[in-house]
Amino acid sequence: MDDSCLKLNDLQVYGLSDNTADLEKRRQIYGQNFIPPKKPKTFMQLVWEALQDVTLIILEIAAIISLGLSFYAPPSEESEACGNVAVGAEDEGESEAGWIEGAAILLSVICVVLVTAFNDWSKEKQFRGLQSRIEQEQKFTVIRNGQQVQIPVAELVVGDIAQIKYGDLLPADGVLIQGNDLKIDESSLTGESDHVRKSVEKDPMLLSGTHVMEGSGRMVITAVGVNSQTGIIFTLLGAGGEEEEKKDKKGKQQDGAVENNQNKAKKQDGAVAMEMQPLKSAEGGEMEEREKKKASVPKKEKSVLQGKLTKLAVQIGKAGLVMSAITVIILVLYFVIETFVIDGKTWMAECTPVYVQYFVKFFIIGVTVLVVAVPEGLPLAVTISLAYSVKKMMKDNNLVRHLDACETMGNATAICSDKTGTLTTNRMTVVQSYLGDVHHKETPDPSSLTSKILDLLVHAIAINSAYTTKILPPEKEGGLPRQVGNKTECSLLGFVIDLRRDYQPVREQIPEEKLYKVYTFNSVRKSMSTVICMPDGGYRLFSKGASEILLKKCTNILNGKGELRAFRPRDRDEMIKKVIEPMACDGLRTICIAYRDFPAGKEPDWDNENEIVIDLTCIAVVGIEDPVRPEVPEAIRKCQRAGITVRMVTGDNINTARAIAVKCGIIQPGDDFLCLEGKEFNRRIRNEKGEIEQERLDKIWPKLRVLARSSPTDKHTLVKGIIDSTIGEQRQVVAVTGDGTNDGPALKKADVGFAMGIAGTDVAKEASDIILTDDNFSSIVKAVMWGRNVYDSISKFLQFQLTVNVVAVIVAFTGACITQDSPLKAVQMLWVNLIMDTFASLALATEPPTEALLLRKPYGRNKPLISRTMMKNILGHAVYQLIIIFTLLFVGEVFFDIDSGRNAPLHSPPSEHYTIIFNTFVLMQLFNEINARKIHGERNVFDGIFGNPIFCSIVLGTFVIQIVIVQFGGKPFSCSPLNAEQWLWCLFVGFGELVWGQVIVSIPTSQLKCLKEAGHGPGKDEITDEEMAEDEEEIDHAERELRRGQILWFRGLNRIQTQIRVVKAFRSSLYEGLEKPDTKTSIHNFMTTPEFLINDYIHNIPLIDDTDVEESEGPPRRRFRASPPPSPNKNNNAIDSGIYLSTDVSKTPTSSSSPVSPLHSMETSL
């Protein structure tokens, strides 16, 4: 392997150089490590989508018919015969301006479409910005110039030596060159949930998109971007439907590929880029894929708000449809009866266009009623509110990955939080220790310790911790030393420095390659052990881990002189009582450090861990302090006041956990609460058969505040149990924080999963909904505030919108029925409904949150969107507005001494009368927008209004546009200019809204028993039927996805040519002698081969084509040697046990595919 790495112009120890030209050359030849994003929808595509709205289509059709008919003028002498219906106004020219109304409707439709499209476009842009921010934050550790550096994932190149560790999401494909106990979860590619053990001898191939579940190591990157496993699969996914059409083209392209490797690599990149569509990095791509799945698979449970809004919108839509149908029917009947029955006219052919024009006018009025009834502004309000909140939450250290998580958080009733790093600072220091039979309450003086104890302690800490963990000098003078890597290990290294010793010389003396065997830390072991070779041929094992677990494995302890003393169970109990419990009660984490010597001679069975990590000798027990973050107690108090229960779920000792919970305020003296350990928790919730029973869980979780020594499964069980519980009036909404790979299931199960941005692993971030960029619990409280604010913003908007709708529908309906014409014209309605509501949604959805939001309990899933107070406001204001408008409609002309606008002929000019009605209506809405800022019956509607500049500018802007429309709108807006006195009256009536608002607030809601709430979440009965159907659908869908996934996976595998190309480069020179792939290995040809019948031959699909075997039977060429020479070093991270290259020509086909051959093992693993 050393040889091949040299050929890749690369050294294991030093990695690549920072030579820009070399890195650029590698990018050109092998491609960049990013997947070209799917092209965003163009603005015109979004415009086209916005045009698909049914109400807008109806309006467009009506407007076009109206336009067409307005150009048809029947001969004047015949128009007499058609009755008085077509008699123009005083001015003949006016009748020729009949096209204006149709054109104006079309124009306003265009306005609406452009506004909607622009909103969608900006939302998409925002989401992509967010996406690229997530990607930029994903960094990976590589070795360049002998230094470990963290670089953005997109900058990785083929040949980089990458450092991989527990919790990483692999960003590229590679070959393992050194590994410690490495286990990979390849389920994202293979669907197999079992972790795959990787080692240099067996199965060294690592694939992008897979997760490191245990261990650590180094790999040399062999394929990046579109040539990596994830890239290949996303290429296939992205190509989707287009792929079939392109098949022939690409087949030709690949057949004609040039022999020369560089050209071929570029060609392939070109071919791949042609069919590319997925998102940038592996993470982004997976996200997009998940979004697609979300869209196609019905989600079990909509977010709280979505459920309520959908139901409400459907109810309103139905009501609007009925109203508009009735309006049209009444108008048509009225006209027909009056014309043909009362006046006794007969229908004449030449009069048809005139009558049709009337019917079109009635139809437009009907559509107007429908347009007004349906709150189109609602989806816009939701989008704006969520997008605005997400943008602002970034500043509050919440990076939202899924939009609906934002409002779900406002309904949270429980938070299950980690301890380390979230509630505490995650800056750990050793403050107490037990060394040589003495309990030191502070760092002991090194001179008081024997050199044997000190040497053993320094070696045990320096060697038995990740070599990537370091203590670096502070960035600023006088600051604290920087801790890099695992914080617990940092605290132990800090302890070595406090004892005035240095750990670096020990690591230089025994570098990572010389470690014989490493048992890495995981949540099951709760310990880490490392074996080294001793000069006498024996072995020494160092171990560190949770004190109560490791002390059970100790049979000796070092006394004050550094000699062994027997350590019996009685001694252990005494030590727990006198040392460990007091440390834990001070809130310290206790770690035991121990060792064991193995004599030379017979080598132990290293795989039998239970026989290795026993009979230990205890060197020391240390107490590590992780101070509570200063802002956490206050944040937890706010949560409790807001009706949210905070529970701590930690892997720590129960006494430590309880002490920290008291400091944080999670448990208060005198409360009725439970603190349980994982074992006890499981004992209480499981029946005799070991199954979890919901009834047993329901007895525990309401009082549970601390779950200590818990495994990831316990966390998942608790979250699932709380969510599934039915004991409360409504289902609990649970948020969970996590940072480890093993927190993934709990984060996924929770309603909202928070991952840690700094300490969190890639796997945890992938499973989460929101990433806390500062790892701080108080940021969660901000998320709750924003979530509640979203909910309230939408309620405010609903209160405003529904008042407009109720009034406009009643006015249009009654006006049409009584005066045969709607007082508010179609264009005016569109201005009021769509344009003004768009602005209103922007104004009301951008209200900033206040602390007052945390003073009430969560709304929960069953609370209706429109409370009784809101219903009182909606109906109260509607009554005021209807009284004013009907007064103006029937006696307005007398009051203002102007001509009446009622019963005007078809193409009459706009009347002052109806303009006053329209103007008053709009001004009342403007003032009511200020009322709508409060939904809980507060008196001061101006409170904090100047803190929201968007609101102020929108209200003023709308007012200015209204003046322009009334004074200069003319025929298109059916407006006639008003004089100053008329304007003052309109303003006076509008201002009356604010006064009337105070009257409504004074009426106690409790007295109005008749009021009903609206916008409940879907009822239980509804859910069960739907869910049953969804379940069946989901199974089918899952099966289809799996099948599709397997096809893609197998097809993707065939693209492994890329990797093989690099492996072949190891065998021959770097750029020459690469044979052209057989056409059979083209994915598309592979797909069409007869054996690819997925139903019958799912297990017989060749993974890598048989060309490998054919090659070995053909002319002899250099192959991998079948078995490496025996190595004295059993550690799977040893370099000298790499893949050996040999030029042995006489190998037979059997040896080439012998089980030890790396290519064969690669085949089997894949």
Side-chain angles (χ1 to χ4, degrees):
M1 196 64 176
D2 273 339
D3 185 31
S4 49
C5 275
L6 279 165
K7 282 192 175 154
L8 261 175
N9 193 9
D10 195 321
L11 285 165
Q12 291 199 20
V13 183
Y14 298 108
L16 293 180
S17 68
D18 272 337
N19 180 345
T20 323
D22 175 52
L23 295 176
E24 199 46 52
K25 187 177 177 188
R26 286 169 187 274
R27 284 198 188 99
Q28 281 175 1
I29 295 169
Y30 301 111
Q32 290 183 309
N33 192 29
F34 94 110
I35 297 171
K38 184 178 180 180
K39 282 198 185 85
K41 285 181 180 161
T42 61
F43 188 70
M44 291 319 292
Q45 281 173 310
L46 292 169
V47 166
W48 178 246
E49 276 179 20
L51 276 168
Q52 309 301 310
D53 186 56
V54 184
T55 24
L56 289 182
I57 291 172
I58 295 172
L59 267 178
E60 287 156 26
I61 293 168
I64 290 164
I65 295 172
S66 168
L67 260 179
L69 290 170
S70 66
F71 290 121
Y72 177 84
S76 51
E77 64 274 9
E78 285 174 17
S79 56
E80 294 301 315
C82 297
N84 66 341
V85 290
V87 176
E90 317 83 52
D91 182 9
E92 263 307 303
E94 282 293 345
S95 63
E96 287 164 23
W99 60 273
I100 292 179
E101 186 170 17
I105 294 177
L106 281 180
L107 195 71
S108 45
V109 165
I110 290 167
C111 268
V112 170
V113 166
L114 289 176
V115 168
T116 315
F118 179 74
N119 257 294
D120 288 347
W121 178 77
S122 55
K123 185 177 79 177
E124 169 91 1
K125 192 168 151 222
Q126 229 173 10
F127 187 74
R128 281 183 183 271
L130 187 73
Q131 190 60 44
S132 59
R133 162 140 185 192
I134 292 175
E135 281 154 20
Q136 283 157 12
E137 289 193 347
Q138 198 192 353
K139 295 204 165 146
F140 215 74
T141 309
V142 294
I143 296 168
R144 294 227 175 132
N145 289 338
Q147 295 292 316
Q148 280 191 12
V149 287
Q150 281 215 326
I151 60 169
V153 165
E155 287 176 22
L156 292 172
V157 293
V158 169
D160 257 326
I161 299 285
Q163 192 87 36
I164 54 175
K165 61 182 188 310
Y166 161 78
D168 281 346
L169 175 82
L170 297 185
D173 296 0
V175 178
L176 187 69
I177 53 175
Q178 175 232 320
N180 301 323
D181 201 21
L182 195 65
K183 284 189 185 166
I184 305 282
D185 173 12
E186 293 186 345
S187 60
S188 59
L189 293 180
T190 60
E192 294 294 329
S193 56
D194 294 345
H195 298 169
V196 182
R197 188 183 284 277
K198 299 278 180 181
S199 66
V200 178
E201 302 90 352
K202 286 186 193 162
D203 190 6
M205 291 303 294
L206 299 170
L207 302 173
S208 61
T210 57
H211 294 130
V212 182
M213 300 312 276
E214 264 183 53
S216 60
R218 288 180 186 177
M219 71 170 181
V220 57
I221 291 177
T222 57
V224 293
V226 289
N227 298 320
S228 69
Q229 257 335 294
T230 312
I232 290 162
I233 287 180
F234 284 137
T235 304
L236 295 167
L237 271 177
E242 304 156 37
E243 193 177 287
E244 299 305 316
E245 304 153 30
K246 293 188 182 171
K247 198 181 281 184
D248 311 327
K249 280 190 213 166
K250 250 179 283 161
K252 285 173 198 160
Q253 224 183 352
Q254 288 185 341
D255 288 348
V258 190
E259 280 281 342
N260 181 308
N261 177 39
Q262 292 176 324
N263 289 355
K264 197 184 84 181
K266 286 181 191 169
K267 261 261 168 75
Q268 278 198 351
D269 279 358
V272 172
M274 229 172 70
E275 43 173 83
M276 279 312 298
Q277 274 191 340
L279 250 150
K280 290 173 196 139
S281 75
E283 192 170 349
E286 281 178 25
M287 206 158 156
E288 177 118 323
E289 193 183 332
R290 199 175 313 115
E291 295 299 328
K292 280 188 206 158
K293 281 184 190 165
K294 266 191 193 167
S296 52
V297 183
K299 214 176 163 197
K300 263 293 148 60
E301 204 160 341
K302 282 182 178 164
S303 81
V304 187
L305 188 64
Q306 277 175 332
K308 293 177 182 177
L309 280 177
T310 313
K311 200 170 169 192
L312 190 67
V314 168
Q315 288 168 342
I316 294 173
K318 283 178 184 167
L321 203 60
V322 171
M323 289 292 274
S324 63
I326 294 173
T327 311
V328 174
I329 292 165
I330 289 177
L331 284 171
V332 171
L333 286 175
Y334 196 101
F335 172 76
V336 169
I337 292 167
E338 188 179 45
T339 310
F340 300 118
V341 179
I342 300 172
D343 296 350
K345 300 270 191 312
T346 53
W347 186 299
M348 286 185 291
E350 59 272 19
C351 291
T352 305
V354 181
Y355 296 145
V356 170
Q357 252 180 307
Y358 259 90
F359 291 140
V360 169
K361 180 183 168 185
F362 300 149
F363 180 63
I364 289 178
I365 292 170
V367 173
T368 310
V369 173
L370 179 63
V371 168
V372 172
V374 178
E376 294 89 350
L378 199 53
L380 199 60
V382 177
T383 309
I384 292 173
S385 183
L386 286 174
Y388 172 77
S389 303
V390 166
K391 208 168 181 179
K392 291 288 186 191
M393 282 169 82
M394 292 280 278
K395 291 181 183 159
D396 284 340
N397 305 309
N398 285 288
L399 196 148
V400 181
R401 292 183 72 229
H402 301 136
L403 272 182
D404 54 356
C406 179
E407 49 92 0
T408 308
M409 199 53 215
N411 287 298
T413 54
I415 298 175
C416 295
S417 174
D418 268 356
K419 175 180 76 67
T420 310
T422 313
L423 300 174
T424 58
T425 56
N426 203 15
R427 184 176 175 89
M428 304 198 188
T429 40
V430 173
V431 290
Q432 293 188 26
S433 54
Y434 183 84
L435 278 161
D437 285 344
V438 183
H439 184 173
H440 301 273
K441 291 289 174 96
E442 48 202 39
T443 309
D445 182 10
S447 56
S448 65
L449 301 171
T450 58
S451 59
K452 183 184 176 185
I453 292 183
L454 210 49
D455 277 350
L456 269 171
L457 184 65
V458 172
H459 276 72
I461 291 173
I463 293 166
N464 187 30
S465 55
Y467 276 37
T468 50
T469 303
K470 299 185 181 94
I471 301 283
L472 299 177
E475 283 174 337
K476 293 178 191 152
E477 224 170 293
L480 292 165
R482 282 183 294 150
Q483 298 187 339
V484 178
N486 182 298
K487 301 299 186 211
T488 309
E489 290 178 350
C490 284
S491 70
L492 295 172
L493 293 175
F495 185 50
V496 169
I497 293 168
D498 290 345
L499 292 170
R500 298 200 277 281
R501 298 293 287 266
D502 191 1
Y503 61 87
Q504 205 52 48
V506 178
R507 287 183 171 181
E508 282 162 11
Q509 185 192 342
I510 306 174
E512 200 169 0
E513 297 81 58
K514 287 194 181 169
L515 301 180
Y516 194 74
K517 176 80 182 158
V518 179
Y519 302 97
T520 49
F521 179 88
N522 66 26
S523 55
V524 180
R525 288 189 184 119
K526 291 218 187 310
S527 67
M528 173 182 177
S529 309
T530 304
V531 182
I532 56 168
C533 298
M534 300 299 281
D536 63 356
Y539 305 97
R540 174 168 286 173
L541 168 117
F542 290 115
S543 199
K544 68 166 189 288
S547 53
E548 57 266 52
I549 291 171
L550 220 52
L551 284 174
K552 285 180 184 163
K553 298 176 179 178
C554 289
T555 50
N556 296 296
I557 189 167
L558 295 179
N559 65 13
K561 296 174 186 167
E563 297 157 353
L564 298 190
R565 167 169 75 77
F567 188 66
R568 296 179 296 278
R570 188 176 70 240
D571 300 331
R572 187 178 69 235
D573 294 343
E574 190 179 345
M575 188 165 175
I576 286 174
K577 202 174 287 173
K578 291 194 173 166
V579 178
I580 290 168
E581 282 186 0
M583 281 187 185
C585 290
D586 290 342
L588 306 183
R589 291 178 72 174
T590 54
I591 301 280
C592 174
I593 299 165
Y595 79 103
R596 177 186 177 184
D597 284 330
F598 294 91
K602 186 171 178 288
E603 192 174 339
D605 174 10
W606 298 112
D607 287 336
N608 188 353
E609 195 184 330
N610 294 336
E611 292 300 313
I612 302 291
V613 190
I614 54 167
D615 294 337
L616 304 176
T617 302
C618 173
I619 306 171
V621 172
V622 295
I624 298 174
E625 182 183 46
D626 186 6
V628 171
R629 286 178 182 265
E631 63 276 22
V632 162
E634 177 56 26
I636 286 178
R637 212 166 26 254
K638 282 181 186 169
C639 280
Q640 289 163 341
R641 203 168 53 224
I644 302 170
T645 310
V646 182
R647 296 179 173 82
M648 182 201 287
V649 183
T650 174
D652 247 343
N653 172 313
I654 189 153
N655 294 325
T656 310
R658 191 187 282 121
I660 298 280
V662 170
K663 283 182 188 170
C664 291
I666 290 177
I667 51 183
Q668 267 120 8
D671 277 0
D672 182 15
F673 61 82
L674 280 173
C675 292
L676 295 178
E677 275 194 334
K679 276 184 187 167
E680 175 63 14
F681 173 69
N682 276 301
R683 194 184 60 73
R684 292 199 190 187
I685 62 169
R686 293 177 189 274
N687 59 18
E688 299 72 39
K689 294 177 189 167
E691 296 159 348
I692 298 166
E693 284 187 358
Q694 186 65 42
E695 299 84 66
R696 292 178 181 231
L697 235 170
D698 287 345
K699 288 177 188 161
I700 289 174
W701 73 257
K703 289 184 181 179
L704 184 70
R705 292 294 176 274
V706 175
L707 185 58
R709 283 276 175 255
S710 68
S711 68
T713 327
D714 296 340
K715 193 171 187 175
H716 181 260
T717 306
L718 176 65
V719 172
K720 186 176 183 303
I722 297 178
I723 289 176
D724 293 347
S725 174
T726 50
I727 54 172
E729 300 148 30
Q730 49 196 36
R731 123 147 163 63
Q732 297 275 311
V733 177
V734 182
V736 169
T737 69
D739 53 7
T741 302
N742 42 27
D743 290 328
L747 288 169
K748 269 235 178 316
K749 178 68 193 168
D751 293 290
V752 182
F754 285 92
M756 302 297 140
I758 303 167
T761 61
D762 295 339
V763 183
K765 290 177 189 173
E766 195 60 30
S768 68
D769 300 298
I770 297 178
I771 297 173
L772 295 178
T773 51
D774 63 346
D775 288 14
N776 193 337
F777 186 85
S778 60
S779 299
I780 298 176
V781 181
K782 298 213 178 98
V784 172
M785 254 165 70
W786 276 107
R788 292 188 173 188
N789 193 52
V790 167
Y791 202 92
D792 277 10
S793 295
I794 288 161
S795 292
K796 287 172 191 175
F797 176 70
L798 268 175
Q799 178 172 302
F800 171 72
Q801 168 102 50
L802 292 178
T803 312
V804 179
N805 287 13
V806 168
V807 176
V809 168
I810 295 175
V811 168
F813 176 70
T814 50
C817 297
I818 296 168
T819 67
Q820 251 193 306
D821 185 12
S822 168
L824 300 172
K825 299 291 180 288
V827 182
Q828 296 173 350
M829 287 288 212
L830 278 171
W831 157 243
V832 168
N833 190 55
L834 290 158
I835 318 293
M836 203 165 136
D837 288 356
T838 304
F839 291 155
S841 64
L842 191 62
L844 292 167
T846 52
E847 289 271 322
T850 59
E851 288 281 334
L853 289 165
L854 294 174
L855 299 176
R856 61 169 174 78
K857 298 279 180 274
Y859 282 143
R861 289 191 167 265
N862 309 341
K863 177 144 188 341
L865 263 178
I866 300 170
S867 62
R868 285 175 58 190
T869 309
M870 285 168 65
M871 194 58 94
K872 175 185 79 177
N873 292 343
I874 291 169
L875 297 178
H877 288 292
V879 166
Y880 172 81
Q881 294 182 13
L882 287 171
I883 291 171
I884 297 287
I885 285 172
F886 283 132
T887 308
L888 287 175
L889 181 59
F890 295 112
V891 294
E893 72 272 26
V894 181
F895 183 79
F896 286 107
D897 191 21
I898 47 176
D899 295 332
S900 169
R902 294 193 301 281
N903 300 322
L906 192 60
H907 291 306
S908 55
S911 65
E912 280 184 334
H913 183 194
Y914 275 17
T915 306
I916 290 174
I917 294 176
F918 165 60
N919 198 25
T920 309
F921 179 67
V922 171
L923 291 177
M924 287 194 293
Q925 304 320 323
L926 265 184
F927 284 102
N928 193 32
E929 202 169 321
I930 299 170
N931 279 328
R933 292 183 66 246
K934 303 294 174 197
I935 50 172
H936 298 300
E938 298 94 329
R939 274 204 181 279
N940 183 2
V941 288
F942 292 100
D943 181 31
I945 194 165
F946 297 112
N948 186 1
I950 299 178
F951 184 88
C952 300
S953 48
I954 282 176
V955 170
L956 286 172
T958 314
F959 182 57
V960 171
I961 297 171
Q962 178 62 20
I963 294 174
V964 173
I965 287 174
V966 170
Q967 297 305 104
F968 310 105
K971 182 79 181 168
F973 278 95
S974 308
C975 285
S976 169
L978 302 179
N979 60 35
E981 187 195 349
Q982 289 164 340
W983 264 103
L984 283 171
W985 273 110
C986 293
L987 273 168
F988 172 73
V989 173
F991 184 77
E993 267 287 356
L994 293 175
V995 180
W996 182 249
Q998 295 301 312
V999 174
I1000 293 175
V1001 171
S1002 310
I1003 304 168
T1005 314
S1006 50
Q1007 301 299 313
L1008 304 168
K1009 293 276 189 286
C1010 55
L1011 283 183
K1012 287 274 186 291
E1013 300 158 322
H1016 291 263
K1020 281 187 183 172
D1021 312 336
E1022 296 166 45
I1023 291 175
T1024 44
D1025 300 341
E1026 276 174 32
E1027 273 190 3
M1028 278 161 69
E1030 277 178 18
D1031 271 349
E1032 287 168 27
E1033 241 177 275
E1034 207 159 84
I1035 291 164
D1036 301 343
H1037 191 87
E1039 218 164 84
R1040 280 204 304 278
E1041 276 295 314
L1042 185 67
R1043 289 276 164 87
R1044 176 171 160 73
Q1046 282 171 329
I1047 294 171
L1048 289 173
W1049 169 228
F1050 291 128
R1051 287 157 78 187
L1053 271 178
N1054 254 37
R1055 283 282 187 91
I1056 213 151
Q1057 296 160 356
T1058 321
Q1059 275 92 323
I1060 294 174
R1061 204 189 328 145
V1062 180
V1063 172
K1064 283 176 182 166
F1066 289 169
R1067 280 196 268 157
S1068 51
S1069 65
L1070 179 55
Y1071 299 130
E1072 300 156 6
L1074 274 137
E1075 65 275 7
K1076 186 179 73 177
D1078 192 298
T1079 40
K1080 189 181 172 194
T1081 46
S1082 151
I1083 309 177
H1084 309 294
N1085 298 345
F1086 177 60
M1087 265 309 284
T1088 51
T1089 49
E1091 74 253 33
F1092 205 90
L1093 289 168
I1094 203 134
N1095 300 340
D1096 314 330
Y1097 291 102
I1098 199 99
H1099 301 297
N1100 309 356
I1101 295 166
L1103 291 184
I1104 291 178
D1105 247 309
D1106 309 327
T1107 40
D1108 280 341
V1109 184
E1110 287 161 22
E1111 266 180 20
S1112 57
E1113 287 163 358
R1117 53 170 77 84
R1118 293 194 262 184
R1119 300 210 61 68
F1120 284 81
R1121 189 146 80 214
S1123 53
S1127 149
N1129 199 334
K1130 272 281 167 33
N1131 179 21
N1132 40 5
N1133 51 323
I1135 292 168
D1136 59 342
S1137 61
I1139 300 172
Y1140 284 83
L1141 297 170
S1142 105
T1143 48
D1144 194 346
V1145 172
S1146 61
K1147 291 286 174 209
T1148 60
T1150 46
S1151 71
S1152 76
S1153 58
S1154 91
V1156 198
S1157 146
L1159 253 187
H1160 183 276
S1161 67
M1162 178 169 94
E1163 220 173 286
T1164 46
S1165 85
L1166 288 167

